[in-house]
Amino acid sequence: MMSELHVSIGRDVLMGLAQAVAAIVLCAAVVALCRWQAVRVEREAAISMARGLIQMVFVGMILAVLLHGSLMVGPLILLAMTVAAAFTAARRLRRMDGALLLCFWAITAGAGTVIAAMLATRSLQADIAILVPVGSMIIANAMNACAQAAERFRAEIMAHVGQIEAGLSLGAEPAVTVAPYLQSAVYASLLPRLDMLKSLGLVWIPGIMAGMMVSGASPVYAAIYQFVVVAMILAASGITGLVATVLMRSRVFSSAAQLVLRPTETSTSSSAEA
């Protein structure tokens, strides 16, 4: 019996590797088309695909062991995912002091609040096999919202240095001078999630709903639950975007209410990195 199980698992792995090779070949063809149009993404695409495949295989091996373990392992897995998400989002804020902690607290605030609310309302079961996959979706979207909001906020500030300093010179509070740019950044980070909700069921049927239907759940309940998950993703993204921009706002001004984030610093650091 065990030998048959091992043979079946080995067959599935080989099939998965063959499918991965086919996907890589297709991506390579797209990269070649991009190069034909002088869009050079070969190195980044190769690194991204290699990392993605290796990471997913590694995660699959780890989860195969952990998902049958104690429930207390679940929060530890989600915490590790949050730390990894913070490192990824912080790359968008190079040269900013405390970028890693900023992203960690923003993602923790958004994803943590929503996961806790889902557990409290029993929208999410305290089962490691359910907690980790759903929690990872919420953390991943919070990470994207954090990176998008922070990057957009920084770009807006750099593009409006004159207006911000004019407001400061007239006695306006620092928070007031950047309020429109903070609003724009948070809205930009929410747009993909808003579009996700608008297209739900019409353009795409998410994996959770499909999985629940395959496992025998009512299609109507599966659809409602999928809506709940996507709505919670929107909530987590909103909290994360707000926290990220508010924390970032306190870092772009000195204690004397002077703007310290300037385009010249970015261009200098970029040329130095190059």
Side-chain angles (χ1 to χ4, degrees):
M1 184 68 178
M2 289 298 295
S3 60
E4 293 179 0
L5 179 61
H6 290 157
V7 170
S8 176
I9 293 175
R11 189 184 302 115
D12 290 343
V13 171
L14 289 176
M15 181 182 299
L17 289 175
Q19 294 169 342
V21 169
I24 291 172
V25 170
L26 180 58
C27 290
V30 174
V31 170
L33 286 175
C34 293
R35 181 183 175 86
W36 179 51
Q37 293 296 325
V39 180
R40 300 188 177 277
V41 293
E42 302 93 334
R43 182 174 180 275
E44 187 172 0
I47 293 174
S48 298
M49 285 189 287
R51 280 188 56 179
L53 179 58
I54 293 171
Q55 288 169 183
M56 286 306 298
V57 171
F58 178 73
V59 167
M61 295 170 62
I62 296 298
L63 291 180
V65 176
L66 296 182
L67 290 182
H68 299 286
S70 170
L71 179 61
M72 293 304 297
V73 177
L76 295 178
I77 296 176
L78 295 182
L79 177 60
M81 289 179 174
T82 303
V83 172
F87 272 100
T88 302
R91 292 176 184 172
R92 303 285 186 94
L93 296 174
R94 293 175 181 173
R95 304 291 179 180
M96 174 173 285
D97 294 336
L100 179 59
L101 278 178
L102 183 153
C103 293
F104 175 77
W105 290 122
I107 295 170
T108 300
T113 300
V114 166
I115 292 173
M118 292 182 73
L119 287 170
T121 59
R122 299 186 181 276
S123 298
L124 183 60
Q125 297 180 21
D127 183 344
I128 191 171
I130 299 175
L131 177 64
V132 172
V134 175
S136 68
M137 290 175 56
I138 295 172
I139 291 171
N141 279 273
M143 174 192 72
N144 291 332
C146 179
Q148 290 164 350
E151 189 175 39
R152 177 64 176 269
F153 190 41
R154 181 167 67 173
E156 290 279 6
I157 291 175
M158 289 182 174
H160 299 88
V161 170
Q163 293 92 321
I164 294 171
E165 292 190 330
L168 292 173
S169 66
L170 294 174
E173 292 292 329
V176 175
T177 62
V178 298
Y181 317 126
L182 186 150
Q183 296 163 6
S184 175
V186 175
Y187 180 71
S189 71
L190 285 177
L191 269 179
R193 284 89 210 167
L194 292 170
D195 289 341
M196 186 190 301
L197 266 175
K198 291 176 184 176
S199 63
L200 190 61
L202 295 177
V203 178
W204 65 297
I205 297 178
I208 291 180
M209 177 180 175
M212 291 177 66
M213 291 174 61
V214 169
S215 64
S218 165
V220 175
Y221 173 71
I224 294 173
Y225 187 76
Q226 182 62 74
F227 166 79
V228 170
V229 172
V230 177
M232 292 298 98
I233 286 174
L234 175 64
S237 300
I239 296 172
T240 300
L242 282 169
V243 172
T245 49
V246 169
L247 290 177
M248 188 176 172
R249 182 182 63 191
S250 65
R251 287 167 169 77
V252 300
F253 292 101
S254 68
S255 58
Q258 295 175 327
L259 185 65
V260 296
L261 184 64
R262 296 177 178 277
T264 53
E265 295 178 2
T266 303
S267 60
T268 301
S269 63
S270 299
S271 61
E273 290 174 2

